[in-house]
Each structure stands twice: as C-alpha cells, then as structure tokens.
Amino acid sequence: MARFSLAFLLCTGLAAAKYIVPGARWHDTDGNLVSAHAGCVTLDEKTGKFYLFGEYKVEGHTEGGGVSVYSSDDLATWDSHGLALAPVEGHPYISPQNIIQRPKVVYSDVSKEYHMWWHADNSTYGLLLQGFARSPNISGPYTFVSAQAPMGNWSQDFGMFTDYKDGRSYALYSNGDRKEGRDVYLTSYNNDTTSLEQIIHRWDKFDLEAPSIVQTDKSYYALMSHKTGYRPNNVVAFRADSLSGPWSQPFIVAPLNTRTYNSQSGFTLRIRGTKKTTYLYLGDQWDSNSLWESRYIWLPMDIDDRRKSLSLVWNDVYDLNVKTGEYAAVKGKSYLAKDATVSGKAIKQEANFASGGVIVSGIYGNDSTVTFTNIEGSGKPQWVSFYYQNTDDMGFGDQPGGTPDRIGGSWQLRRIASVVVNGNVEKVETLFQRDTHKGIILSTPLMLNLEKGKGNTITVGGLWNGFDYKGADLDRIVVYPPEPETKGRH
Ligand SMILES: *[C@@H]1O[C@H](CO)[C@@H](O)[C@H](O)[C@H]1NC(C)=O
Ligand SMILES: *[C@@H]1O[C@H](CO)[C@@H](O)[C@H](O)[C@H]1NC(C)=O
Ligand SMILES: *[C@@H]1O[C@H](CO)[C@@H](O)[C@H](O)[C@H]1NC(C)=O
Ligand SMILES: *[C@@H]1O[C@H](CO)[C@@H](O)[C@H](O)[C@H]1NC(C)=O
Ligand SMILES: *[C@@H]1O[C@H](CO)[C@@H](O)[C@H](O)[C@H]1NC(C)=O
C-alpha cells in the first residue's frame, strides 16, 4: 500500500495539496489574493491544466483592471500568470476607464488560437458590446480584435458555453435593463468563434443576468441570477433536452433565503473524470464594500436528469480529485455555542432553528464575546468554519440600515467579527459574516493556527463594519483537519 502510494505520488507530481473552501480568502502560490472575478475556467486539453480567467480588481480600483489568468492542476492551487488582457491607456474599449467584465476563453480548432470574449463597455454602461481578443498562448497576452453589438442588439453580463458533443460555442447575454430589453439570448458562433451566427433561443422578459449553461449527457441546464446588483439572490435554472428548447420554467437551485449561499452565478464546469463526472457551480460572492475582497463560492451540483432537477451541494471544505472526478466532503468536529462561555452583553438565546435550540446573540466589540473552549488542534494551520446568523436584512430602527427586505432601506452587506485563538490579542483574525436572513444559518471559514492538543480556545467578538461593532449570532464552529501534505494520500 505504502509503495503503491509512493509510486502514485511520483507519477502525479508533488503539488501542494489543497482543499476547495468556498467563501475563504483564496491565495495564489505567491501569497496574493486570487483576483479573477466573474470569469471562467478553461481546460487546456494539451496539458490537462485548468486556466482561471477573471476580472482583475485591486484595492482602490473598481473597473478597467483587465483580465487576469491563473493556472492549476487541481482547481485549488493557483499559479498567477499576471494579466492575460492588459488595459491600454486611451483605447476606446480596453482603457483603464472601460468596463471589461465577465471574460470567457475558448480554444478555436480552426484558428488554433485562444479566443477571449467579454462584456465591453464604457464606464456608464452606455455601449453594451461584446469584446473579442485572441492569443496563440492560453495565458496570453491577448490582442484586442473588436467590440461588437451582437446581431445589432445590446449585450450585458456575458457568458459562454461550448457543447461537448459537437464543439460548437454559444454566447449568452442579457440585452440590458431597459424595458425593451430584459431578455437573455443564447446565440451560436461561427465554427471559428470569431462572430455570432444565429439566435438559438431567447428567454423573454425574465429579466435575469449572469448566465451559464451546464451540460449533462441528456440535458442542458441554464443558470442565471436575478438583477440585484452586488447583492446575492435566488439563482434559478432552466432545463431543456436541446439548446433551442423547449426550456422548462425556471426553478431555484439552493435553499430559499440563503440567496444561493450568498453568491451569484457566472460559470459552471463539467469535470469528466475516470470514475465520475462532477459538475461545479463557480459563483461569485461580491463584496460591494471592497470589491477586491470579493470571494468565490465554488460548489458541486447535484443533477438528476430523471427528476429534471439541479441543486447546489454546500460543503465547508471538500477534496476534489480532478482525475477521477470524485469529490468528498472533509469531516470536521463541531463545538456548539450552547456549550461556549459568553461575556458582557452576549447571551445564549432560544432559537428553535439553531443547534441544540440555542444561538449566541449580542456579540459586540471586544467586551461582549463568546469563547469556545477545549478545542482540539493539530499544531498545523487548519480550516475552521463559523456557523452564524446575520439578520441585518431586517434593518435597524436606530440607523439607516435595512435591505431589500425593507422598503427604502440601504443594505449592509456584511458584519465583521474578530477571532482570537488562545487569548492572543496580538493576532486578531477578521471574519466577514455576510447577511443571511432570519432563521437562516450559514457558514464562513478562516484558516487558524491551533496548538496541538485539546486545550485551545477561540474567542469571537465584533469589529467595525462601517456601521457598527456588532458580530453576527453564532450557532457553532466546525474544526477541520489540516490539509494533507500531498494529494492522493487520504
Ligand atoms: C457611454 O456611451 C454612451 C453611448 O454612446 C454615451 O451616451 C455616454 O456618454 C458614454 N459614457 C461615457 C462616460 O463616455
Ligand atoms: C505562454 O505563456 C507562458 C506562461 O505565461 C510563458 O511561459 C510562455 O513563454 C508563453 N509562450 C509564448 C509563445 O508566448
Ligand atoms: C434588442 O432587442 C429588443 C427585444 O427584441 C428590441 O426591442 C430592441 O430594439 C433591440 N435593440 C437593438 C439595439 O437592436
Ligand atoms: C468552418 O466553416 C467554413 C465556412 O462556413 C467552412 O468552409 C469550413 O470548412 C469550416 N471548418 C470546420 C473545421 O468545420
Ligand atoms: C476594545 O474596543 C474599543 C473600541 O470599542 C477600543 O477602543 C479598545 O482599544 C479595544 N480594546 C482592546 C483590548 O482591543
């Protein structure tokens, strides 16, 4: 067995093992935040490597950052290759003032080049075009070719789909927010993916955006989100036997009121392994307070063609084997807030939806906290998920808070909690706790350093989020084992 594992390791390389952790701060192999938002993952058939393309957003800049590119063997460890499409000062379509959004990249069998398409616009979204650039090298640099109006119409929130059965690619786009628009188009490209050819389907007046299609052996599922800006909502899917339809009524793909686990659709990936085909939802968790800190919610999808259903499967931490196509949830150990110690004004409050019927509320600043005790650690960095409820959607009586659930309210996207391990206040971790809903408990992860043994404590308080020092209500934490040194040793 040991010899077999060694051989396996030698022939697959010794890449650092990594789990996929939705909603965490993802770092590349240089230690920088992975900045590739609302993009796509393209498999390079020649090398078997995955390339992640997306909007490059840095602190202080919102638009015009260009398109970044990263590569990975396992969809978890990312090497940065800088900008695939760099902004050009003074350019009418790709200057730093232009909108360069939702980039997608496909390989053209005809030109033997990589073709990149995106939503090209000016800063006020007045152009609504589709940009096109190309490169002989998947990681670029890409050369700008054109910005076009698709079949003469407007284009917003660009998506792309390639049918694995015939290799044909399609553009997906909304024709904008105007009353005459509000449709989503599915339009085929010519065989070289250099221009659009024919409208295949139009989803009329559903007023959706961020479209993506995932294909199974029998079906197509088109996922789209509602239009609520950077605030997440209930993503829906339509199903059909063929791209031209008939398409089903839309249905919701994640538990109601989780707002699709606080994410927006944008891309989906089909991983055809030697043992299993796994379908991944590649969602964005936008942070309008600091766009550059937006996160990624990548989750497996449970698709049942017989029942004609698709739903996202939440996992705090999972281990995906891109070769076999299998994935497994990593198992952690729970510590309930019911059994924790509270200080100051933090209280254990009845909550019939919480673990053990109790949730800790009133967490505030550094003097009203909750401390989990007797936590077993490994002595190595490990993931800890915090299960919380944030009811800011109710709005606060004493301040201009509130949200879509309150007419005229303004949305607080997240609270920020402080997390301190073993009383070490020199090292305060910041935990972003996105809005959930009344009675909805979601989780969000942090990588923490716990000491080896069972004597660790984790203390959670509240930090300033721009409005207040309130921390979200806590249900429990789940401590995960450290990541294995190498992939393939489970
Ligand atoms: C964007 O384009 C539209 C349509 O041409 C135009 O009306 C608008 O002024 C432009 N915005 C900027 C900032 O140039
Ligand atoms: C393609 O990109 C890779 C990685 O960015 C680089 O090492 C290589 O030199 C590039 N090749 C060409 C032909 O530009
Ligand atoms: C785009 O399509 C809509 C719906 O068919 C139509 O009303 C509108 O005039 C079109 N816009 C352009 C610029 O062609
Ligand atoms: C692509 O289409 C052109 C014209 O429509 C045709 O001449 C060519 O043979 C096609 N190439 C492939 C690889 O299908
Ligand atoms: C506790 O928070 C207050 C602000 O509410 C701050 O002034 C003080 O420095 C903090 N104390 C510690 C020990 O962090």
Side-chain angles (χ1 to χ4, degrees), residues 298-309:
W298 288 12
L299 293 171
M301 292 184 276
D302 191 357
I303 300 181
D304 185 336
D305 279 332
R306 201 176 39 83
R307 298 181 55 215
K308 307 180 185 222
S309 66

Side-chain angles (χ1 to χ4, degrees), residues 56-57 61-67 86-88 94-100:
Y56 181 64
K57 299 199 181 294
H61 293 267
T62 50
E63 295 307 341
V67 178
V88 176
I94 56 166
S95 82
Q97 286 74 45
N98 282 108
I99 299 280
I100 304 172

Side-chain angles (χ1 to χ4, degrees), residues 206-270:
F206 282 108
D207 207 9
L208 297 166
E209 64 182 14
S212 174
I213 287 181
V214 62
Q215 179 182 18
T216 63
D217 291 343
K218 295 200 178 74
S219 300
Y220 300 88
Y221 294 85
L223 281 78
M224 304 177 200
S225 91
H226 295 85
K227 293 184 177 172
T228 50
Y230 286 119
R231 304 177 312 224
N233 57 60
N234 292 309
V235 166
V236 296
F238 302 79
R239 197 207 68 87
D241 293 334
S242 99
L243 286 172
S244 56
W247 287 87
S248 75
Q249 276 287 313
F251 56 91
I252 290 165
V253 302
L256 269 177
N257 292 326
T258 66
R259 302 186 176 100
T260 323
Y261 301 111
N262 268 322
S263 74
Q264 183 181 36
S265 51
F267 200 68
T268 48
L269 189 61
R270 176 174 168 275

Side-chain angles (χ1 to χ4, degrees), residues 81 137 139-140:
H81 300 280
N137 196 353
S139 56

Side-chain angles (χ1 to χ4, degrees), residues 303-367:
I303 300 181
D304 185 336
D305 279 332
R306 201 176 39 83
R307 298 181 55 215
K308 307 180 185 222
S309 66
L310 177 156
S311 53
L312 308 191
V313 184
W314 177 264
N315 284 274
D316 284 346
V317 180
Y318 62 103
D319 192 5
L320 173 71
N321 184 329
V322 297
K323 298 281 183 287
T324 65
E326 296 166 306
Y327 78 89
V330 176
K331 290 200 173 49
K333 188 167 177 197
S334 291
Y335 299 85
L336 305 189
K338 176 168 103 36
D339 304 325
T341 309
V342 291
S343 78
K345 289 181 176 154
I347 55 162
K348 293 180 185 177
Q349 192 178 7
E350 174 185 326
N352 64 12
F353 53 86
S355 302
V358 168
I359 203 161
V360 171
S361 62
I363 296 169
Y364 194 96
N366 51 26
D367 54 9

Side-chain angles (χ1 to χ4, degrees), residues 434-447:
R434 307 273 308 201
D435 209 343
T436 61
H437 216 289
K438 296 181 262 317
I440 297 292
I441 292 172
L442 294 176
S443 71
T444 187
L446 274 184
M447 178 74 94

Side-chain angles (χ1 to χ4, degrees), residues 17-160:
K18 281 274 290 281
Y19 293 147
I20 298 183
V21 188
R25 291 183 178 93
W26 290 5
H27 291 98
D28 64 20
T29 50
D30 298 329
N32 299 313
L33 282 179
V34 172
S35 186
H37 305 283
C40 69
V41 169
T42 305
L43 176 65
D44 182 5
E45 305 276 356
K46 284 178 234 161
T47 61
K49 265 189 193 294
F50 297 98
Y51 285 81
L52 169 66
F53 296 86
E55 299 169 22
Y56 181 64
K57 299 199 181 294
V58 282
E59 196 169 358
H61 293 267
T62 50
E63 295 307 341
V67 178
S68 52
V69 56
Y70 298 80
S71 66
S72 178
D73 293 318
D74 60 6
L75 290 173
T77 313
W78 294 101
D79 290 320
S80 170
H81 300 280
L83 290 176
L85 181 72
V88 176
E89 202 66 59
H91 194 284
Y93 301 110
I94 56 166
S95 82
Q97 286 74 45
N98 282 108
I99 299 280
I100 304 172
Q101 286 181 347
R102 299 194 178 277
K104 304 290 174 278
V105 173
V106 296
Y107 179 70
S108 165
D109 274 333
V110 177
S111 73
K112 310 286 179 212
E113 293 198 329
Y114 295 88
H115 293 189
M116 178 189 288
W117 289 84
W118 68 94
H119 171 193
D121 222 317
N122 67 13
S123 60
T124 52
Y125 292 91
L127 303 177
L128 295 167
L129 301 173
Q130 291 174 2
F132 172 40
R134 57 203 294 167
S135 171
N137 196 353
I138 188 164
S139 56
Y142 284 75
T143 307
F144 178 86
V145 178
S146 63
Q148 309 167 10
M151 320 298 277
N153 211 302
W154 304 301
S155 176
Q156 192 175 276
D157 263 24
F158 183 77
M160 219 166 159

